[in-house]
Amino acid sequence: MIALPPVVEINPFVLIFPPSAIHLYFNIFMASVALYYYSNINPNSRPINVPTALLKQEYDFIIVGAGSAGCVLANRLTEVKNWTVLVLEAGGDETAVSDTPLFVGALWNSDQDWNYTTTPQRNACLADNEGRCRWPRGRGIGGSSTINALLYVRGNRMDYDNWEALGNPGWGYSSIFPYFLRAEDNRNPKLFQSPYHRTGGFLTVSEAPYQTEMVPAYLRAANELGFDILDYNGAIQNGFNIAQLTSRRGSRCSAGKGYLRPIRSFKNLNVAERAMVSKILINNNSAYGVEFIRENETHIVTAKKEVIISAGSINTPQLLMLSGIGPKRELRKFGIPVIKNLPVGKNLQDHVGVPLVFKVDGPYTINQNVYGTVDALLQYAENQTGPLTTASGFEVLGFFNSNTSGYGWTDVQIHIGSFVPTRQNLNLFEMVPLFLHPSSRGEVTIQSTNIFTPPLMNPKYFSRSPDFQMLLMASYIALNLSATLSLQEYNTTFFHEFYTPCQNITPNTEAFLICVIEQFTFTIYHPIGTCRMGSPKDPTTVVNPHLQVHGIKNLRVIDASVMPRITSGNTNAPTIAIAERASDLVKLYWNETTGVIL
């Protein structure tokens, strides 16, 4: 058995994905399973990275960013065979590590991550350096779908009805639901015959092949508190169940693997990796191309029809502002000519959670070392089974309404997982609660005219007090779950010793829990809203309901940044559905047939 290395620091990311442990697994993995690397991540199946000299001077569409949205758009727009499409991606392709569900932590601070940190927060992420929350964001083919926790959550139907009520006709639940179905290839025999799921789409959804013996206890505990066990992506969201994952045969199904690889040989598609777009070219309020940097040289490519920005909720507003579209006060600070004064970068929203770690003992113990055995590595390498197929260790998800928030839909989510390596030989599991409808709003701003200088990200966590109180309430519900008979069979106790900065506070008190929240809060990976969609008459919006930038022809934003409000759950599946629907909007605009009636 391979011993887990010691945890050298206590912070939210270490609690969930200890880098030292993950890198140990990675080294063993790469040394012993090269065969898997070449069979499942075969270079012949990768998107073809076109050299700069072979790129055309002009395409019908230029897509900036090959993330969750950009890969979908490339796939759907190339369905029109007389359209030419160029995808410009700042990073490279996926790797064997990103393909392995449990190895998420090894990807952070890697070449596949933008390595972002926020500005210092007043009462969140205080265990991190200077209170700067770490914000992993995917950099490369597949974007954040390549380095996220694989959790497939559509959100609540009221999320989308609310979008429509905010001035976005066509974005209600009845309109977007067909696009969730169109995207999905559900491999779960318990679900794919449901009217809420289907097979045959590009995005594979399934459960992890491996589950610990604690999973039934987690579900019994939820049921004991009165929560239903149900399909939270079905008719009713409120309830608990085993996590649904963007997983295919035990490995990650990113947007790159799902949407871009199948069209790699299309003659009307070019993909250019390591190409950093530095400016959108605009003349007479019409976008006609982009400037990009590749191998230290600057190049220009033009678009006959549209430039589509799909760089994500951080990089999209940065690029727009550097191109002269954004708050005029911010642009003038850096001498950027203002082409269009719009609230780009505002309305930033995110889900923030807190890791609550529990110790168990009794008839069953969680063998943390099972994840680091040679047997586990070989199971994954040979059959894509075993512990490495788990979604970052998370096994169960729960959603419910607190009945105290004033919202009429799901407002709390809890992740439950059995993988918490420590320096001690302990049996631990964790729950990560979060409040789904934060009232706090942050912003993204630029700090330089250089595209390679990261923008400033200030989520302003807990800047409105109800958010903190709601997370505190959600944490108490997690503690109540741990106190159920189903989990007390394992002598479950809150593991106070994990939280070193709070050791001077009496355990099992509200003051202790408040300290844990302030010190160990971390992003749940869901920044959205920085290019909000809505009516051009609404001064808080950047794009119209067809996702066209206000006042600029032939320029759209299609990614998570257009969401007016954050969805009730993980945001990758909604982003893919947005891109699916947006591809039909583009086709409709250019008088082409669409796959779904709009």
Side-chain angles (χ1 to χ4, degrees):
M1 229 185 245
I2 302 170
L4 290 168
V7 175
V8 296
E9 60 174 322
I10 300 293
N11 63 54
F13 288 91
V14 168
L15 293 183
I16 298 174
F17 308 114
S20 53
I22 296 296
H23 284 297
L24 172 62
Y25 303 156
F26 169 50
N27 291 334
I28 298 170
F29 180 81
M30 292 302 290
S32 60
V33 295
L35 178 61
Y36 168 70
Y37 179 87
Y38 288 108
S39 63
N40 200 39
I41 310 292
N42 191 319
N44 291 331
S45 72
R46 294 172 179 269
I48 298 172
N49 181 23
V50 178
T52 306
L54 298 182
L55 294 177
K56 302 174 184 177
Q57 291 296 311
E58 186 174 61
Y59 294 82
D60 288 299
F61 295 91
I62 299 171
I63 300 171
V64 179
S68 294
C71 289
V72 173
L73 292 167
N75 181 297
R76 296 304 185 184
L77 295 184
T78 54
E79 290 175 338
V80 182
K81 297 306 179 184
N82 63 336
W83 282 355
T84 55
V85 177
L86 172 65
V87 180
L88 295 169
E89 168 53 48
D93 197 15
E94 302 173 60
T95 66
V97 183
S98 61
D99 204 53
T100 309
L102 189 63
F103 286 174
V104 169
L107 303 169
W108 297 343
N109 300 315
S110 74
D111 184 57
Q112 290 179 261
D113 179 12
W114 285 98
N115 300 316
Y116 287 147
T117 58
T118 69
T119 59
Q121 301 298 291
R122 290 185 177 181
N123 52 359
C125 306
L126 299 185
D128 284 318
N129 184 33
E130 298 180 341
R132 297 177 182 271
C133 312
R134 284 180 277 182
W135 269 23
R137 305 304 302 153
R139 182 177 184 268
I141 302 295
S144 291
S145 74
T146 304
I147 71 168
N148 69 2
L150 289 81
L151 300 174
Y152 178 79
V153 180
R154 295 175 180 172
N156 192 287
R157 65 175 62 224
M158 294 184 69
D159 297 330
Y160 307 103
D161 290 342
N162 181 255
W163 288 6
E164 190 164 50
L166 290 171
N168 295 287
W171 288 98
Y173 180 75
S174 62
S175 298
I176 200 167
F177 173 67
Y179 292 99
F180 282 112
L181 289 184
R182 186 166 82 172
E184 186 181 38
D185 176 31
N186 199 298
R187 304 282 179 91
N188 187 334
K190 295 177 291 185
L191 295 179
F192 66 69
Q193 293 182 339
S194 160
Y196 291 91
H197 297 279
R198 63 154 285 190
T199 60
F202 287 102
L203 186 69
T204 302
V205 178
S206 63
E207 293 179 0
Y210 177 89
Q211 295 164 10
T212 68
E213 294 180 41
M214 287 295 289
V215 167
Y218 300 145
L219 296 177
R220 289 196 305 270
N223 206 226
E224 195 175 326
L225 286 189
F227 299 117
D228 293 327
I229 309 304
L230 48 69
D231 171 16
Y232 51 75
N233 286 318
I236 299 173
Q237 185 184 26
N238 288 346
F240 281 66
N241 215 326
I242 295 169
Q244 298 177 36
L245 312 176
T246 51
S247 174
R248 178 183 295 168
R249 296 186 298 275
S251 299
R252 178 187 297 275
C253 181
S254 66
K257 183 187 290 185
Y259 281 89
L260 206 54
R261 291 189 184 192
I263 62 169
R264 63 182 298 277
S265 61
F266 280 21
K267 294 182 179 180
N268 60 339
L269 171 70
N270 279 172
V271 177
E273 299 172 11
R274 310 289 178 185
M276 186 73 164
V277 176
S278 53
K279 189 177 183 179
I280 305 164
L281 302 177
I282 301 170
N283 185 36
N284 293 325
N285 290 328
S286 179
Y288 66 91
V290 298
E291 176 185 276
F292 68 94
I293 301 170
R294 200 180 194 197
E295 297 175 342
N296 297 318
E297 293 185 357
T298 301
H299 308 273
I300 288 176
V301 63
T302 59
K304 293 180 185 178
K305 297 185 184 301
E306 292 187 17
V307 174
I308 300 175
I309 311 302
S310 299
S313 293
I314 308 304
N315 297 80
T316 286
Q318 179 192 27
L319 179 58
L320 288 173
M321 285 186 274
L322 292 182
S323 303
I325 302 171
K328 60 182 179 182
R329 180 178 298 179
E330 293 295 326
L331 303 188
R332 287 172 178 169
K333 286 181 184 177
F334 299 95
I336 299 172
V338 179
I339 295 175
K340 190 66 179 178
N341 177 28
L342 292 173
V344 172
K346 309 299 181 183
N347 191 49
L348 174 63
Q349 299 161 57
D350 186 29
H351 288 142
V352 59
V354 58
L356 303 178
V357 179
F358 300 89
K359 182 167 60 173
V360 300
D361 193 8
Y364 169 68
T365 56
I366 303 170
N367 184 359
Q368 305 293 347
N369 290 338
V370 70
Y371 294 88
T373 64
V374 172
D375 183 57
L377 295 165
L378 292 178
Q379 283 182 64
Y380 185 74
E382 294 173 359
N383 303 307
Q384 287 77 62
T385 59
L388 302 188
T389 65
T390 61
S392 315
F394 291 131
E395 299 182 289
V396 168
L397 293 185
F399 302 86
F400 51 90
N401 191 301
S402 66
N403 295 319
T404 62
S405 69
Y407 287 89
W409 67 94
T410 307
D411 59 11
V412 174
Q413 177 178 352
I414 290 183
H415 307 72
I416 308 177
S418 304
F419 179 42
V420 190
T422 68
R423 63 169 64 88
Q424 300 132 312
N425 186 24
L426 298 172
N427 301 299
L428 308 174
F429 72 90
E430 68 177 335
M431 300 190 205
V432 179
L434 59 135
F435 177 46
L436 290 169
H437 299 290
S439 56
S440 300
R441 296 291 183 269
E443 63 180 350
V444 173
T445 57
I446 55 175
Q447 58 177 335
S448 166
T449 57
N450 187 339
I451 191 67
F452 293 102
T453 301
L456 295 173
M457 296 149 281
N458 184 3
K460 301 182 182 178
Y461 289 140
F462 308 136
S463 58
R464 296 185 182 178
S465 59
D467 294 350
F468 192 95
Q469 294 302 315
M470 288 301 300
L471 185 54
L472 181 62
M473 176 277 303
S475 300
Y476 274 120
I477 294 174
L479 293 174
N480 289 341
L481 280 168
S482 75
T484 58
L485 293 175
S486 299
L487 287 176
Q488 283 306 307
E489 291 180 9
Y490 304 93
N491 298 322
T492 298
T493 56
F494 188 29
F495 190 37
H496 306 96
E497 295 87 343
F498 237 104
Y499 306 97
T500 304
C502 303
Q503 291 305 301
N504 294 330
I505 302 174
T506 304
N508 297 319
T509 63
E510 185 168 286
F512 184 89
L513 196 53
I514 289 173
C515 175
V516 170
I517 292 173
E518 290 179 337
Q519 292 287 331
F520 297 97
T521 35
F522 67 99
T523 178
I524 303 294
Y525 236 140
H526 304 159
I528 64 97
T530 50
C531 296
R532 175 179 175 173
M533 67 172 163
S535 168
K537 296 179 181 179
D538 184 343
T540 68
T541 67
V542 175
V543 300
N544 65 24
H546 285 245
L547 309 188
Q548 297 160 314
V549 176
H550 297 326
I552 305 294
K553 295 179 181 179
N554 304 326
L555 179 63
R556 293 189 207 232
V557 171
I558 303 175
D559 57 28
S561 70
V562 305
M563 296 184 189
R565 289 190 182 170
I566 199 165
T567 54
S568 301
N570 306 68
T571 53
N572 187 53
T575 300
I576 288 172
I578 286 171
E580 284 275 16
R581 185 172 191 277
S583 69
D584 278 357
L585 293 173
V586 173
K587 290 176 181 177
L588 187 68
Y589 182 83
W590 295 102
N591 297 315
E592 292 289 342
T593 57
T594 63
V596 175
I597 297 175
L598 294 166

